Amino acid sequence: MKNIYEVLKRPRLTEKSLALQEVHNQVVLQVDRRANKNEIKQAVEAFFSVQVEKVRTTNMPGRKRRLGRHQGRTSDYKKAFVTLGAESKLDFLAEL
């Protein structure tokens, strides 16, 4: 297994991810592009001390961005939707 700090990058805190957290007890995380579902599950369980039921992943393509007349592109990344167990709870905004 890779180091858990290499697998987990950052939480994706958007309105949609916060709604998923409240309604379906899911957490949305940005993870390493080479990480598989088993590595993500083990890293989340070890780092946050919660029980993980299911992990879904998706590769997100970068978006085109403009700054004046210059055009660029954001980086591609991998996003993981982690479903927590019924007794597990994780709230990123409460820890701030």
Side-chain angles (χ1 to χ4, degrees):
M1 183 178 108
K2 298 178 188 174
N3 185 359
I4 59 175
Y5 299 106
E6 294 175 1
V7 175
L8 303 177
K9 298 295 182 188
R10 65 185 57 90
R12 301 294 294 180
L13 297 176
T14 61
E15 290 182 17
K16 185 176 181 179
S17 68
L18 294 176
L20 284 173
Q21 187 173 356
E22 292 174 2
V23 177
H24 298 291
N25 202 20
Q26 290 183 343
V27 178
V28 182
L29 302 167
Q30 184 174 340
V31 295
D32 184 43
R33 294 201 52 184
R34 298 165 295 184
N36 59 33
K37 292 181 181 184
N38 290 328
E39 291 174 343
I40 295 168
K41 179 179 179 178
Q42 292 173 356
V44 170
E45 287 179 343
F47 189 74
F48 296 112
S49 301
V50 294
Q51 185 65 32
V52 174
E53 285 186 3
K54 181 170 63 169
V55 176
R56 295 183 302 137
T57 60
T58 182
N59 287 311
M60 301 299 294
R63 298 166 57 183
K64 292 181 182 177
R65 292 289 184 212
R66 292 184 60 93
L67 289 173
R69 62 181 175 173
H70 302 287
Q71 186 171 358
R73 193 176 148 85
T74 61
S75 299
D76 299 339
Y77 62 94
K78 188 174 202 174
K79 188 162 54 169
F81 297 90
V82 179
T83 304
L84 302 176
E87 63 279 349
S88 299
K89 197 71 172 167
L90 186 60
D91 191 12
F92 294 112
L93 295 178
E95 298 174 6
L96 293 177

